[in-house]
């Protein structure tokens, strides 16, 4: 199955390279079939095609402030120019002077620059006046208008969407330096959080939980203060101000709800802090046997970045695979080839499947290293190169296991995406509340199934590393073992995962606070709510990538412990593989759970034995 999928993905990649023209998107092209910055071949029927644009590397859109969408296509004339006009041009004389001094011709190629001010066709062949100042986009070499009003209109029409994508593009473009700084801050905070968990103590946990509480309350307070500030601001009539005010209100409500839930959970689970510290110390002891486990997220992240860049390149090539078609006026458009839409769908499946495969390889590698160190009789003499050994076993024997486990994720996520799309379509068509409720229920069911499969996959990979069985057998065995021994460690393991989750929340809180302070300075000309949401999502993703090592090691340790209990009894003939520190920790946690269970049972009996008494008068 995986071989066929990989072969088809390779076929799509090869087809996109042969039939696609990603250069048209990357370097830009004019309306006459010429790619900017290259020497072009002529297109039959297009007299202005086939020109040498080696020195003209920028795309200039005529009438960039008055673009329109007609018939599902962008009605505009684009030209290849050598430089973008950085100052406003108010007359044809200034356009002519700019052409003579810079060699950048802003009128259609058929009109000579000497005739800009005399030709009766200049009004239709030259840009509408005034020509706004523009700068080249850093990557795609498009001349982007710099005035706020013109830039907003240009961005919304250029990407053929005046709503969500416009806000994302305009916000990212105007705040790209801030976003880059916040991403660097997120990386630094994630590394600091990882080392905090590596050398954790009871004092650090208390300080850490206090910081989480203060961070949550502080972010909520800042959001509500910003909303109050917006409502009393005289410039609220601006569209950007109204957009930001609505999003700030949404952020404030959501963050308040999340803060309330987390505070309740922290209060309920506060008495398990000491056991959690011991649990992380045991986890760190397992990591000490293979310290390079902490660097696994780095190479996984690098491989994912490489794959995503390759995936986007193939997508761009597929999007530009088309035949040249000459339109009215000698302009050239590219008609998509048949079957491309189906390739896009399979390409999307390949993105989810391959990404999950890479992440599953990391989980399998970490689980294999933990299993090797755990089932080692000589605790003072740890095995040599457990990570390399786990990698070799993975690639030589268990790729099929990882492929099957990773394939289950897109099988569940794709229906979830379809349900979400249909739910949004029903919102637009204003169907009944019952249908929307059913779609929401289906979406929640698929979400729960997705989370359960992720947890099941992790335990199946660990069982495979222990027994060497296939995926289905390992998943079945892991489910049985965990069901039998869930009473031993479920509560402590859940609270350990909760502490790790709080670490991710802390990273997001500090990043969002930095973003609120940075973006709020230019709020009158920048819709920053969507970029801030993207930065928060990136912060959580990076924090999850680094802290997931502790989650994987923790889950693998407890599954190894469960298998150890199943196969050994602690006698001299069948001694446990676990060390005494781990065994004593499990005994103490079990005593605590049993004591609380007896207390709850005693309380329940007292409640059941209580009878109603008559009220004395």
């Amino acid at each position: 199955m995986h071989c066929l999928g990989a072969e088809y993905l390779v076929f799509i990649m090869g087809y996109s390279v042969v039939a696609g023209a990603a250069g048209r998107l990357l370097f830009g092209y004019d309306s006459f079939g010429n790619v900017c910055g290259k020497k072009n071949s002529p297109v039959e029927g297009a007299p202005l095609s086939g020109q040498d644009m080696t020195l003209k590397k920028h795309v200039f859109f005529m009438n960039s402030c008055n673009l329109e969408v007609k018939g599902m296509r962008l009605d505009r004339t684009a030209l290849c120019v050598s430089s973008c006009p950085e100052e406003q041009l108010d007359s044809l004389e200034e356009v002519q002077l700019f052409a003579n001094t810079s060699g950048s011709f802003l009128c259609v190629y058929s009109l000579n620059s000497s005739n800009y001010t005399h030709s009766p066709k200049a009004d239709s062949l030259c840009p509408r006046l005034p020509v706004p100042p523009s700068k080249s986009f850093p990557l795609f070499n498009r001349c982007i208008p710099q005035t706020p009003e013109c830039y907003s209109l240009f961005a919304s029409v250029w990407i053929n969407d005046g709503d969500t994508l416009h806000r994302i593009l305009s916000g990212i473009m105007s705040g790209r330096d801030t976003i880059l700084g916040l991403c660097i801050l997120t990386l630094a905070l994630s590394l600091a959080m990882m080392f905090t968990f590596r050398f954790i103590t009871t004092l650090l946990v208390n300080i850490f939980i206090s910081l989480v509480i203060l961070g949550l309350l502080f972010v909520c307070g800042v959001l509500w203060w910003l909303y109050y500030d917006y409502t009393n601001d005289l410039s609220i009539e601006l569209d950007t101000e109204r957009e930001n005010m609505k999003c700030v209100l949404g952020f404030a409500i959501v963050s308040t709800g999340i803060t309330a839930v987390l505070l309740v959970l922290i209060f309920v689970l506060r008495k398990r802090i000491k056991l959690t510290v011991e649990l992380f110390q045991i986890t760190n002891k397992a990591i000490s046997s293979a310290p390079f486990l902490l660097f696994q997220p780095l190479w996984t992240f690098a491989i994912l970045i490489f794959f995503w860049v390759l995936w986007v390149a193939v997508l761009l090539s597929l999007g530009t695979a088309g035949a040249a078609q000459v339109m009215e006026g000698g302009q050239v458009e590219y008609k998509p080839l048949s079957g491309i839409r189906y390739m896009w769908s399979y390409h999307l499946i390949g993105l989810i499947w391959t990404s999950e495969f890479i992440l599953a390889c990391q989980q399998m590698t970490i689980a294999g290293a933990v299993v090797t160190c755990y089932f080692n009789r000589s605790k003072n003499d740890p095995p040599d190169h457990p990570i390399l050994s786990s990698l070799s076993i993975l690639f030589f024997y268990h790729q099929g296991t990882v492929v099957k486990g990773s394939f289950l994720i897109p099988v569940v996520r794709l229906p979830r995406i379809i349900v979400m799309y249909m739910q949004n379509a029903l919102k637009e068509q204003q169907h009944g509340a019952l249908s929307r409720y059913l779609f929401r229920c289906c979406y929640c069911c698929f979400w729960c199934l997705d989370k359960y499969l992720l947890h099941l996959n992790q335990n199946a990979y660990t069982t495979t590393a222990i027994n060497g069985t296939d995926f289905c057998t390992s998943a079945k065995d892991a489910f049985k073992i965990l069901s039998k021994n869930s009473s031993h460690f479920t509560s402590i393991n859940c609270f350990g995962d909760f502490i790790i989750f709080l670490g991710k929340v802390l990273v997001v809180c500090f990043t969002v606070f930095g973003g609120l302070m940075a973006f709020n300075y230019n709020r009158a000309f920048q819709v920053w709510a969507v970029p801030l949401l993207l930065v928060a999502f990136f912060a959580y993703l990076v924090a999850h990538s680094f802290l997931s090592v502790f989650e994987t090691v923790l889950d693998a340790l407890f599954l190894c412990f469960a298998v150890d209990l199943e196969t050994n009894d602690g006698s001299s003939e069948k001694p446990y593989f676990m060390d005494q520190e781990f065994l004593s920790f499990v005994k103490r946690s079990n005593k605590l759970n049993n004591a609380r269970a007896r207390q709850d049972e005693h309380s329940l009996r007292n409640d059941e034995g209580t009878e109603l008494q008559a009220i004395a008068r």
Side-chain angles (χ1 to χ4, degrees):
M1 179 179 63
H2 182 256
C3 291
L4 291 175
E7 289 175 1
Y8 194 68
L9 287 175
V10 171
F11 167 75
I12 291 178
M13 187 183 303
Y15 178 82
S16 66
V17 171
V18 174
R24 291 205 302 268
L25 289 180
L26 294 176
F27 302 107
Y29 62 101
D30 63 13
S31 300
F32 307 99
N34 302 296
V35 177
C36 301
K38 290 187 176 183
K39 189 174 182 180
N40 298 274
S41 302
V43 177
E44 185 178 354
L48 296 180
S49 63
Q51 300 193 34
D52 187 0
M53 299 293 182
T54 306
L55 300 178
K56 300 178 178 180
K57 300 181 179 180
H58 306 277
V59 182
F60 172 75
F61 294 92
M62 296 176 60
N63 309 325
S64 57
C65 291
N66 300 279
L67 297 177
E68 295 180 356
V69 177
K70 294 183 178 180
M72 297 300 293
R73 66 183 182 88
L74 196 62
D75 184 36
R76 91 286 187 264
T77 300
L79 304 173
C80 294
V81 297
S82 56
S83 61
C84 303
E86 297 185 358
E87 297 181 358
Q88 181 170 300
L89 306 177
D90 297 313
S91 64
L92 289 176
E93 287 77 9
E94 293 184 4
V95 174
Q96 186 180 49
L97 179 62
F98 177 75
N100 295 332
T101 55
S102 65
S104 188
F105 305 100
L106 305 184
C107 297
V108 177
Y109 309 133
S110 59
L111 183 63
N112 193 283
S113 61
S114 59
N115 297 325
Y116 282 3
T117 57
H118 306 295
S119 175
K121 298 182 179 180
D123 290 339
S124 59
L125 299 179
C126 292
R128 185 176 300 178
L129 300 174
V131 179
S134 59
K135 289 184 179 180
S136 177
F137 191 83
L139 181 61
F140 297 104
N141 297 329
R142 270 69 168 178
C143 291
I144 307 297
Q146 294 301 296
T147 55
E149 299 83 2
C150 185
Y151 170 75
S152 180
L153 293 172
F154 172 81
S156 66
V157 179
W158 181 44
I159 59 179
N160 200 12
D161 193 330
D163 199 7
T164 304
L165 290 178
H166 164 226
R167 290 197 293 270
I168 295 174
L169 179 64
S170 60
I172 290 176
M173 280 293 296
S174 55
R176 56 185 179 271
D177 296 334
T178 302
I179 292 174
L180 180 61
L182 291 173
C183 292
I184 296 175
L185 174 64
T186 296
L187 184 62
L189 289 173
S190 299
L191 288 172
M193 195 59 57
M194 185 175 67
F195 283 105
T196 299
F197 281 112
R198 181 69 178 86
F199 304 102
I200 200 166
T201 60
T202 304
L203 177 62
L204 277 178
V205 171
N206 288 316
I207 295 174
F208 165 72
I209 293 179
S210 301
L211 287 176
V212 171
I213 295 173
L214 290 176
L216 289 170
L217 295 175
F218 194 68
V219 169
C220 287
V222 170
L223 286 169
W224 285 112
W225 173 79
L226 283 175
Y227 177 69
Y228 175 79
D229 188 49
Y230 271 111
T231 55
N232 292 277
D233 195 346
L234 296 177
S235 63
I236 198 65
E237 295 300 322
L238 292 175
D239 290 339
T240 52
E241 289 279 76
R242 288 198 297 269
E243 291 272 353
N244 288 334
M245 185 182 69
K246 293 178 183 178
C247 292
V248 165
L249 177 60
F251 284 154
I253 294 173
V254 172
S255 63
T256 302
I258 294 175
T259 300
V261 173
L262 290 180
L263 290 179
V264 171
L265 289 175
I266 291 173
F267 178 78
V268 171
L269 300 174
R270 70 191 185 281
K271 295 182 179 180
R272 296 184 178 271
I273 291 178
K274 186 176 180 180
L275 284 176
T276 303
V277 172
E278 295 183 26
L279 177 62
F280 277 108
Q281 289 174 348
I282 293 171
T283 303
N284 289 323
K285 187 175 181 180
I287 293 177
S288 299
S289 303
F292 286 101
L293 284 177
L294 295 176
F295 296 96
Q296 294 304 303
L298 295 177
W299 67 262
T300 302
F301 190 71
I303 294 175
L304 281 174
I305 290 295
F306 172 78
F307 168 69
W308 288 338
V309 170
L310 178 64
W311 187 88
V312 170
V314 173
L315 181 66
L316 293 178
S317 298
L318 286 176
T320 55
Q325 186 175 7
V326 181
M327 309 297 291
E328 183 182 356
Q331 294 192 5
V332 177
E333 289 192 355
Y334 292 89
K335 185 178 181 180
L337 299 176
S338 59
I340 292 295
R341 182 174 299 177
Y342 301 103
M343 289 188 178
W344 286 350
S345 302
Y346 192 85
H347 197 49
L348 177 61
I349 297 174
L351 171 67
I352 302 175
W353 190 0
T354 308
S355 299
E356 291 298 329
F357 174 79
I358 295 171
L359 294 174
C361 286
Q362 171 181 299
Q363 293 175 344
M364 187 76 173
T365 302
I366 296 175
V370 172
V371 168
T372 302
C373 296
Y374 184 93
F375 292 102
N376 177 38
R377 289 296 184 188
S378 179
K379 299 300 180 182
N380 297 324
D381 185 20
D384 296 330
H385 312 297
I387 299 177
L388 292 178
S389 175
S390 179
L391 275 173
S392 62
I393 293 174
L394 165 63
F395 286 111
F396 283 109
Y397 300 105
H398 296 307
Q399 285 195 55
T401 299
V402 177
V403 166
K404 290 178 183 177
S406 59
F407 180 70
L408 291 176
I409 305 304
V411 167
V412 174
R413 285 185 180 172
L414 286 176
R416 199 175 86 189
I417 295 173
I418 295 173
V419 168
M420 183 175 63
Y421 173 78
M422 295 177 68
Q423 180 182 349
N424 293 331
L426 288 177
K427 284 182 180 179
E428 296 177 358
Q429 298 177 8
Q430 296 182 352
H431 277 261
L434 178 60
S435 58
R436 292 197 298 269
Y437 174 76
L438 291 177
F439 277 111
R440 287 176 184 173
C441 291
C442 292
Y443 181 83
C444 291
C445 291
F446 279 119
W447 183 84
C448 294
L449 182 60
D450 184 15
K451 298 303 178 184
Y452 174 75
L453 285 178
L454 288 174
H455 182 68
L456 180 65
N457 284 354
Q458 172 59 51
N459 292 321
Y461 300 148
T462 305
T463 307
T464 297
I466 296 173
N467 298 327
T469 51
D470 61 273
F471 176 78
C472 296
T473 305
S474 298
K476 182 181 66 176
D477 293 342
F479 179 78
K480 289 181 179 179
I481 293 173
L482 291 175
S483 299
K484 290 181 181 179
N485 298 275
S486 60
S487 60
H488 287 288
F489 48 81
T490 299
S491 58
I492 297 298
N493 191 16
C494 289
F495 189 62
D497 291 339
F498 178 68
I499 291 294
I500 295 174
F501 175 73
L502 289 182
K504 302 172 189 177
V505 171
L506 184 62
V507 173
V508 174
C509 282
F510 275 97
T511 306
V512 168
F513 172 71
L516 286 172
M517 296 296 99
F519 283 125
N520 193 49
Y521 283 112
N522 298 318
R523 68 188 194 184
F525 300 104
Q526 178 182 350
V527 179
W528 50 260
V530 174
L532 182 62
L533 187 63
L534 293 176
V535 168
F537 175 75
F538 178 79
Y540 183 82
L541 186 64
V542 172
H544 175 73
S545 298
F546 282 91
L547 298 182
S548 63
V549 174
F550 293 94
E551 287 182 302
T552 306
V553 172
L554 197 60
D555 293 338
L557 274 177
F558 278 117
L559 187 57
C560 290
F561 166 75
V563 173
D564 200 3
L565 288 181
E566 285 286 319
T567 55
N568 301 298
D569 55 11
S571 61
S572 57
E573 292 80 11
K574 291 184 177 181
Y576 290 128
F577 282 93
M578 70 185 82
D579 55 18
Q580 290 300 318
E581 184 181 358
F582 194 6
L583 183 59
S584 60
F585 165 77
V586 173
K587 289 181 178 179
R588 285 197 304 273
S589 63
N590 285 338
K591 287 180 180 179
L592 179 62
N593 291 332
N594 293 334
R596 288 183 176 175
R598 286 194 299 269
Q599 183 179 0
D600 294 339
E601 183 180 357
H602 180 70
S603 176
L604 181 61
R605 288 177 179 174
N606 288 340
D607 292 340
E608 291 175 350
T610 302
E611 296 180 357
L612 295 177
Q613 302 293 330
I615 300 177
R617 294 186 183 271

